[in-house]
Amino acid sequence: MTTALITGANKGIGFETARQLAARGITVLLGARDKDLGQAAADALKAEGAQAHFVQLDVTDEDSIARAAEWIDSEFGSLDILINNAGITGGMDRDGKPSSTSLANLRRVYDTNVFGVVAVINALLPLLRRAEAARIVNVSSEVGSLDMMLNPEGPMWQMASIPYPSSKTALNMVTAMYAKELWETPIKVNAANPGYCATDLNHNTGFRSAAQGAEPSVYLATLPPDGPSGQLWGFLWGSDVEYGRLPW
């Protein structure tokens, strides 16, 4: 049995990621803060024939993370795939400019997008080490790429905001550091770029579907033994090819 935990899996890209992994015969554990929404999402996948289970998980609550890790340990004994999908934008401080950024909003975004990821990985790493060749995928974004954000000719140039973009830049470094720590192990750690997808995160303004956004995470979660580690990989905006490695 191959097991995968996806955080923030009750809707959007997280739910579609769980659905696509389940279609490959993987048992999916849908992490979500809200019990009713999480259970409904798991039931929806079960109705499609998936092996799906709801796991109550708030990535900003260390006790919640510990309980989830204990439950996975007792039920499965190990974990093959961890996809850190949960994330927030934090909304906009006044005009959204860097000079208008409130520290309260910045802390709130980092609590979920960065600190929560570290907390979840650290709690579940013992279970991931027990798997034959585990995969860790951190769902990042092209807006976290310094190269893309500083390209005056690129699509990211018009964005100048601190909380969400900088949290994804930090997440990219978190990814790189775990990849280095685990370099000599079978565990691979990568960051996924879904692209600009229509989800609640952006009020459904994206031009890609949630299902399309899930594809990079699924690809990285099922890498073969000779696959890469320590990369930002996914949708390539304005490229002749749909997917590939993005610059940090």
Side-chain angles (χ1 to χ4, degrees), residues 60-124:
T60 67
D61 183 337
E62 290 187 70
D63 290 337
S64 172
I65 296 170
R67 287 193 298 270
E70 290 171 3
W71 182 83
I72 295 169
D73 187 10
S74 65
E75 292 292 321
F76 302 99
S78 64
L79 183 66
D80 298 281
I81 298 168
L82 169 61
I83 300 181
N84 289 299
N85 170 81
I88 62 173
T89 63
M92 186 178 293
D93 292 305
R94 291 184 290 172
D95 57 10
K97 294 179 180 179
S99 55
S100 300
T101 302
S102 71
L103 292 183
N105 192 30
L106 189 61
R107 290 189 180 103
R108 189 164 67 91
V109 172
Y110 269 65
D111 202 23
T112 296
N113 296 3
V114 184
F115 307 148
V117 171
V118 173
V120 169
I121 292 177
N122 288 351
L124 293 173

Side-chain angles (χ1 to χ4, degrees), residues 165-240:
S166 73
S167 75
K168 293 303 183 180
T169 305
L171 180 60
N172 290 344
M173 182 59 79
V174 166
T175 301
M177 293 301 101
Y178 277 109
K180 287 178 67 176
E181 178 181 353
L182 300 167
W183 199 263
E184 301 299 329
T185 77
I187 301 174
K188 298 185 184 299
V189 189
N190 291 288
N193 176 42
Y196 190 35
C197 301
T199 67
D200 290 348
L201 197 74
N202 55 39
H203 307 291
N204 294 293
T205 58
F207 56 81
R208 285 168 55 79
S209 68
Q212 288 175 311
E215 291 172 355
S217 291
V218 172
Y219 173 82
L220 293 171
T222 56
L223 283 173
D226 61 349
S229 190
Q231 291 191 8
L232 172 60
W233 191 95
F235 179 70
L236 298 174
W237 198 325
S239 172
D240 293 333

